[in-house]
Amino acid sequence: KLNAQAIAFAHHADDQAETILLKWLRGCHVSNLRGMAWRAGPFIRPLLEVTKEQLARMLRADGVKWLEDKSNQIPKYKRNKVRLQLMPLMQEL
């Protein structure tokens, strides 16, 4: 046991946008159309206001290599389709 005050996740602003968009696409009622909470029980998400690009830049500046699960690049899953296809299209429009 660690006696930790919280468990931090690395979810960032891009993940947050994907979450909201996925909820909207699934027909979520507007009253529930929100992203991940900054805090939920013992879990915190301190990077929700930082984009993936900003985070990668900060890591590079500190000499830390960005690591990403290879499955994030497979458009088999709905979230990945949103990330890889829909989000770039929306930015282009």
Side-chain angles (χ1 to χ4, degrees):
K1 191 169 177 176
L2 291 177
N3 288 336
Q5 297 294 319
I7 299 166
F9 291 126
H11 294 115
H12 47 72
D14 297 33
D15 297 320
Q16 186 75 304
E18 293 165 5
T19 297
I20 294 168
L21 188 53
L22 277 166
K23 283 185 173 185
W24 180 71
L25 290 170
R26 290 177 179 146
C28 178
H29 189 272
V30 69
S31 64
N32 292 316
L33 193 56
R34 58 183 165 271
M36 297 173 275
W38 190 90
R39 185 185 237 348
F43 306 106
I44 60 171
R45 295 177 178 90
L47 301 173
L48 286 179
E49 294 184 13
V50 180
T51 67
K52 179 180 177 179
E53 180 55 37
Q54 290 170 320
L55 188 54
R57 233 185 351 253
M58 286 188 282
L59 291 172
R60 279 193 302 270
D62 287 338
V64 179
K65 183 180 176 184
W66 178 269
L67 296 176
E68 187 163 340
D69 187 325
K70 290 179 185 180
S71 70
N72 285 345
Q73 299 304 314
I74 302 170
K76 172 182 172 183
Y77 307 103
K78 285 182 186 178
R79 178 173 290 275
N80 291 356
K81 284 183 183 179
V82 166
R83 177 182 301 125
L84 300 171
Q85 298 169 358
L86 187 55
M87 295 296 281
L89 177 61
M90 291 177 72
Q91 289 173 343
E92 181 183 315
L93 297 175

